[in-house]
Amino acid sequence: MVAKIFVVFTILFFCYFAQQQLEHFRWEASYFAPLFVVALVYLAINFIGACIWSLLLTGVDEPHHFSTTTQIFFVSQIGKYIPGNIVHLIGRVVNAKSIGIRPTSVLYTLAFELILLVLSATIFAAITIYYSDLSQFSGHIPSLIQLLTIGLFCIAIATLIIFFSPKLSARLGQPDILNIPKMPPIRIFALCLALFWVCYMLLGLSTNYLAESIFNVKFNNILIVSGIFTISFVAGFLTPGAPAGIGVREFMLILLLTPIYGELCAVGVASFSRIAQMSGDLLTFLIGRLILKHRKVTNIWSDSPQSNDQLSIIYWGTYDLSKPRNPILHDSLEQAGCNVITCHENIWTVNNDKSQIKELSRWLSIACSYLVAYPRLVMRLFKLKKSDFIIIGYLGHLDIFVLWPFARIRGIPIVWDAFISLYNTVVEDRKMFGKRHPVSLVLYAWEWLACRMADAVLLDTNEHADYFRRSYHLEHNKVHYTFVGAEAHFFLSSPNIKDNAKVDGPIEVLFYGTFIPLHGISTIIRACRLVPSEMANWTIIGKGQEESKIQAELDSGHISNLEWIKWVPYEQLGRKIQEADVCLGIFGNTEKSAMVIPNKAFQIIAAGKPIITRDSPAIAELLNNTDKGVWLVPPEDEEALAQAVKEAYLQQAELRSSALYSDILYRIKPKAIGSQLIDSLYRSRVIS
C-alpha cells in the first residue's frame, strides 16, 4: 500500500512540475530529430538487455537460439507498462517455456539479471561520486559508503540464494525448482556488468544530448549525468507498482538534475526522455512482433526461393575483394552449382593491412564509407528475391550487426564467414592489447554476439572451428569450415621443369606475406644464416607489423644471399612462385598459427611447388611429412627449417621433374570447396 501511495505521489509530482515549467515551452519541428535519436538509443539498450539475458542462459548451459530469445525479450518489454513492473519478466518465462527453454533456467537468469542490474548501478554510481565534484548539489546524494553497502547487500543476497537453494528446494518438496542447473562462470558475470555499464553511459549521453539539442544547455561532465540517470533509472525499475518506473524515475531526475540544468531543463529532459523511452520500447515491441510474424508465416513473400535444385545465395556486405578468401569462396559456390547474387559495396580499395592504418583522417573516411554503404546494401537486399541463405563475406564483423534485423524480417538464414577471430588476431596473436584491456573485452563481446546473430559461422579449418566452439560456447553444428583454396590462375600455371643434367647452383627459396607474428619471419632469417650461400638464395617479399624488427635483425649482420623486396603486385605472385624452387609457409608459435592454413600454402600447392611450413593440427588436415615435396617443421625452429632447405637442395633434380600433390589438388579446387560448404549446411539444417 505504501509503495502504491508513493508511486501515485511521484506521478502527480511530476505532472505538476511538468505543467508548471513547460506551460510556456514552444515545440518546434526540429525537436523530432533528437527525440528519434534517443528513441533509437533506447532500442539499442533493449538489444543489449537481450544480449545480457542470452549470456546468462549460456552461463547456465541452457540451449537456445539468440534470435529467438531476442524476439522473446523484445516482445515482453511492453509488459513493463502494466502496473506491478513484473509482467515483462513473467512474459519471458512463459514465452521461453513455449519454445522448450526450462522455466527454472529462465527464473535463475532473471534473478541474476536483477542482482547484476543493482550491483552494476551501485558500482557505476559509486565511481561517479568518487570522481565527480558534488559540491554543486543542494539535494541529498547517496554517499560512497551507502552505495557500497547496497552493493555488498546484493552480493550477500546472491550468495545466500546459491548456498541455500538446495535446502529450500527440498523443503518445498520440488528438488529442481530452486536448484541452480549451473553457476555461470565469473567471466559471464563480468561481461554482463560491462554491458550494463555501456547502457548507463548511453543513458547519460542521451540525457545530455536532449538537454543540449532542445534546451541549449550543455554540461561537460557526462560521467555525473550518467550516474544520476543510473540512480533514477534503477530506482524506477525496482519500485513495486510503478509501470516502467513512470513517475519515480522522473521524480529522481528532477531532484538531481535541477542543480545542473535548472528546473525548466530538468523537467523537460525528464519528460522528453520518457517519451523517447516509450517510443524506443514501442519500436522494440514492433520489431519483436515482426520477427515473430515472419517465423510463423514462412511463405509470406511471393518471391520465395527457387523451386528447382539450384540454390540461390546472396553474397552480401562490405567484404574486402583484395583478400583471396572472398573471390575464391564466391567462385567456389558458383562452381558448385549455386546461383550467387552479389550485393556488395567496396570500401577497402587502398589499405590491405588494416592494422597499419594510423591516420585519423583515413579512419574517418572509412567510417563515412560505411555510413554511405549500408543504406544502399539494405535497399538492394529488399529489392532482391528471397534466397536460400545470405553469406556475409570477410571482413564482416560489422556487417552482421547491420544485416541481422533485416535478414530476420525477410526470414533468410545468415552464414557469417568469420574466417578469422579479431580477438584472437589482435589480442592473442599480435598481442596489441592485454587480455584484460577494455578493447580486448569489447572485441570478445563483439564476436560472442556476432556468432549468435548468425545461423552458421564459417571458418577456414576444423581446428579453427573448434577454437570458436570452445571460446564462444557454440554448438558443434553451428560452426562449419571450408578450406581457403587458391585462385584459378595458380592452378593454370605449371611448374618449370628443367633439364636435370643442367641443374647446378643454389636453389631459390621464396617467402611472401605481411610481417605478422604468425609468419615467424625471424625464424626464416635465422635459418638463412645456417644455410651456406652456395646451397640457397633467399627472397622475402612483404612488409607489415614487424617490419622495423626485421630490419633491425638484418642490420645486425649482413646476409649476402637474402633479398628483401618490400612488395610486388598481387598478380605477379604466380610468376614469383614459379621462379622459386621451394616456397615457405609460416613458422610462428602463436595459437593462431596452429589453427590456420595460410592462403599462400594453397597457392604453393596449386602451383605444384615444394613447401616448407610449420607442423600444426591445422596443416595436418591437408598435408603430412610423407607427401613428396612437403617438409613440416616445429614452430620457431630455425635449425629444422635450415635442414629442410638443405634436403630440398639435395633433392632439387627429383623435385623439379615431379608432378607434386596429385592426391591433394582435388580437395582444394573451387568446386570441391563450394560443395563441401553446401553439404555441411544441409546436414546442419541451415538450408533444407
Side-chain angles (χ1 to χ4, degrees):
M1 186 64 183
V2 176
K4 291 180 180 178
I5 294 173
F6 177 69
V7 170
V8 172
F9 168 76
T10 55
I11 293 175
L12 292 175
F13 171 84
F14 170 64
C15 292
Y16 172 77
F17 258 73
Q19 191 273 332
Q20 289 289 317
Q21 293 294 328
L22 301 178
E23 182 178 2
H24 302 293
F25 177 77
R26 295 183 60 186
W27 176 263
E28 296 180 11
S30 61
Y31 297 158
F32 279 111
L35 271 178
F36 179 70
V37 170
V38 177
L40 292 180
V41 170
Y42 278 101
L43 175 61
I45 288 171
N46 284 333
F47 180 70
I48 294 173
C51 297
I52 291 170
W53 186 38
S54 181
L55 266 172
L56 292 171
L57 285 171
T58 301
V60 296
D61 280 350
E62 181 62 44
H64 67 285
H65 197 288
F66 177 73
S67 61
T68 305
T69 53
T70 300
Q71 178 264 317
I72 291 172
F73 189 95
F74 277 21
V75 171
S76 64
Q77 282 301 96
I78 204 71
K80 293 188 301 185
Y81 293 92
I82 299 175
N85 211 16
I86 61 169
V87 177
H88 64 297
L89 303 178
I90 297 172
R92 268 198 265 174
V93 176
V94 173
N95 288 320
K97 183 180 179 181
S98 69
I99 62 168
I101 298 178
R102 292 172 296 177
T104 52
S105 296
V106 179
L107 287 170
Y108 270 102
T109 55
L110 293 180
F112 286 130
E113 185 180 316
L114 291 173
I115 292 169
L116 287 170
L117 173 70
V118 177
L119 181 60
S120 61
T122 302
I123 296 172
F124 192 87
I127 293 172
T128 300
I129 290 174
Y130 184 78
Y131 283 103
S132 302
D133 179 15
L134 303 179
S135 59
Q136 56 192 301
F137 287 94
S138 56
H140 173 70
I141 296 293
S143 68
L144 185 61
I145 298 299
Q146 289 173 326
L147 288 170
L148 290 176
T149 302
I150 295 171
L152 290 173
F153 181 71
C154 293
I155 296 173
I157 291 175
T159 304
L160 288 172
I161 290 174
I162 295 164
F163 182 77
F164 288 110
S165 60
K167 296 180 181 179
L168 291 172
S169 300
R171 187 176 291 274
L172 291 171
Q174 299 185 42
D176 293 330
I177 193 170
L178 285 174
N179 203 11
I180 299 175
K182 180 188 175 182
M183 186 67 180
I186 296 299
R187 61 181 183 78
I188 294 288
F189 287 137
L191 276 173
C192 291
L193 285 173
L195 288 173
F196 273 125
W197 292 333
V198 170
C199 291
Y200 300 149
M201 284 303 298
L202 288 174
L203 289 170
L205 289 168
S206 62
T207 302
N208 215 42
Y209 175 64
L210 283 176
E212 186 174 354
S213 302
I214 297 179
F215 297 94
N216 200 28
V217 174
K218 188 174 182 179
F219 186 68
N220 292 325
N221 195 334
I222 300 298
L223 182 63
I224 195 169
V225 176
S226 300
I228 287 171
F229 207 108
T230 299
I231 296 170
S232 305
F233 183 86
V234 175
F237 183 85
L238 295 179
T239 301
I246 291 177
V248 177
R249 193 183 77 188
E250 285 72 27
F251 176 80
M252 296 287 291
L253 280 175
I254 292 171
L255 287 180
L256 297 177
L257 288 179
T258 296
I260 294 178
Y261 292 151
E263 281 193 1
L264 173 62
C265 183
V267 173
V269 165
S271 303
F272 291 130
S273 66
R274 172 57 66 183
I275 294 171
Q277 183 189 358
M278 295 175 71
S279 303
D281 287 337
L282 180 60
L283 279 174
T284 303
F285 173 75
L286 292 176
I287 291 173
R289 291 294 300 172
L290 199 57
I291 295 172
L292 179 62
K293 179 181 178 181
H294 282 272
R295 283 185 178 278
K296 291 181 177 178
V297 186
T298 57
N299 198 28
I300 194 168
W301 290 86
S302 60
D303 53 344
S304 57
Q306 301 173 8
S307 58
N308 57 24
D309 291 334
Q310 187 183 43
L311 288 175
S312 176
I313 302 167
I314 299 175
Y315 209 110
W316 191 93
T318 59
Y319 49 87
D320 189 349
L321 287 172
S322 69
K323 301 299 182 185
R325 172 69 164 188
N326 290 308
I328 293 172
L329 186 56
H330 185 286
D331 185 47
S332 298
L333 291 168
E334 285 189 333
Q335 291 198 31
C338 302
N339 176 32
V340 184
I341 304 160
T342 301
C343 189
H344 176 239
E345 289 286 331
N346 188 15
I347 66 172
W348 300 106
T349 56
V350 179
N351 293 89
N352 292 330
D353 188 356
K354 281 72 176 175
S355 67
Q356 298 304 302
I357 304 176
K358 306 297 185 184
E359 304 84 3
L360 178 60
S361 60
R362 177 60 183 145
W363 281 114
L364 289 175
S365 174
I366 292 171
C368 291
S369 299
Y370 271 118
L371 291 174
V372 173
Y374 283 134
R376 292 177 180 174
L377 287 169
V378 171
M379 286 189 290
R380 286 163 61 188
L381 173 66
F382 278 91
K383 291 179 181 178
L384 294 173
K385 289 185 177 182
K386 185 177 178 182
S387 63
D388 290 280
F389 66 89
I390 300 174
I391 186 165
I392 298 179
Y394 166 78
L395 177 71
H397 284 68
L398 184 58
D399 293 355
I400 191 169
F401 285 83
V402 176
L403 175 64
W404 181 80
F406 304 107
R408 288 294 173 260
I409 289 172
R410 293 210 58 181
I412 308 176
I414 298 173
V415 177
W416 176 40
D417 183 21
F419 186 49
I420 66 168
S421 163
L422 285 183
Y423 175 82
N424 174 254
T425 299
V426 173
V427 180
E428 297 176 333
D429 184 64
R430 302 192 185 186
K431 302 186 185 303
M432 298 171 71
F433 300 98
K435 289 190 176 182
R436 291 185 176 86
H437 193 280
V439 172
S440 304
L441 296 175
V442 168
L443 285 177
Y444 180 87
W446 186 354
E447 289 191 327
W448 180 93
L449 180 55
C451 288
R452 279 151 180 80
M453 288 181 167
D455 296 277
V457 181
L458 184 60
L459 280 307
D460 58 329
T461 68
N462 189 43
E463 186 70 20
H464 208 173
D466 280 339
Y467 169 84
F468 264 70
R469 294 182 187 110
R470 293 190 309 270
S471 299
Y472 299 112
H473 306 281
L474 303 174
E475 295 179 4
H476 189 275
N477 287 337
K478 184 167 186 174
V479 188
H480 308 261
Y481 79 95
T482 183
F483 289 144
V484 175
E487 298 92 323
H489 67 270
F490 286 100
F491 288 95
L492 295 175
S493 56
S494 58
N496 295 328
I497 300 177
K498 301 179 182 179
D499 184 354
N500 294 339
K502 296 181 179 179
V503 172
D504 57 4
I507 60 173
E508 299 296 327
V509 181
L510 172 68
F511 169 85
Y512 60 93
T514 53
F515 286 15
I516 57 178
L518 176 143
H519 288 155
I521 301 172
S522 295
T523 302
I524 297 174
I525 293 174
R526 292 196 299 270
C528 181
R529 300 183 190 276
L530 300 176
V531 179
S533 57
E534 58 268 19
M535 283 189 172
N537 290 321
W538 302 65
T539 301
I540 294 177
I541 300 174
K543 58 183 179 179
Q545 178 188 348
E546 294 191 322
E547 186 174 344
S548 58
K549 173 186 173 184
I550 299 306
Q551 185 64 63
E553 291 183 11
L554 291 175
D555 291 342
S556 65
H558 178 67
I559 306 176
S560 61
N561 59 332
L562 185 147
E563 180 184 13
W564 178 11
I565 303 173
K566 290 295 179 76
W567 205 245
V568 298
Y570 187 73
E571 57 273 11
Q572 294 182 18
L573 280 178
R575 182 172 60 83
K576 289 290 185 181
I577 293 173
Q578 290 308 319
E579 291 173 353
D581 293 293
V582 63
C583 298
L584 306 180
I586 58 175
F587 304 95
N589 196 25
T590 63
E591 184 179 15
K592 182 178 178 181
S593 62
M595 298 188 300
V596 302
I597 304 175
N599 183 230
K600 61 172 64 66
F602 293 101
Q603 294 168 343
I604 294 163
I605 293 169
K609 285 293 182 177
I611 182 172
I612 307 172
T613 190
R614 70 153 285 179
D615 197 2
S616 70
I619 199 69
E621 298 174 26
L622 184 66
L623 300 173
N624 60 68
N625 270 317
T626 61
D627 297 319
K628 180 179 284 189
V630 174
W631 286 269
L632 303 182
V633 301
E636 293 185 346
D637 191 334
E638 60 271 17
E639 293 182 357
L641 173 54
Q643 181 60 34
V645 171
K646 293 175 183 177
E647 291 178 11
Y649 169 78
L650 296 174
Q651 298 176 26
Q652 60 179 303
E654 180 184 357
L655 293 172
R656 284 172 176 168
S657 61
S658 300
L660 305 178
Y661 314 119
S662 57
D663 58 340
I664 298 173
L665 285 172
Y666 77 94
R667 296 177 58 198
I668 67 171
K669 288 188 175 179
K671 185 176 181 179
I673 290 172
S675 298
Q676 176 195 347
L677 174 57
I678 296 301
D679 290 344
S680 181
L681 295 177
Y682 269 123
R683 287 195 302 272
S684 62
R685 298 184 180 180
V686 174
I687 53 178
S688 56

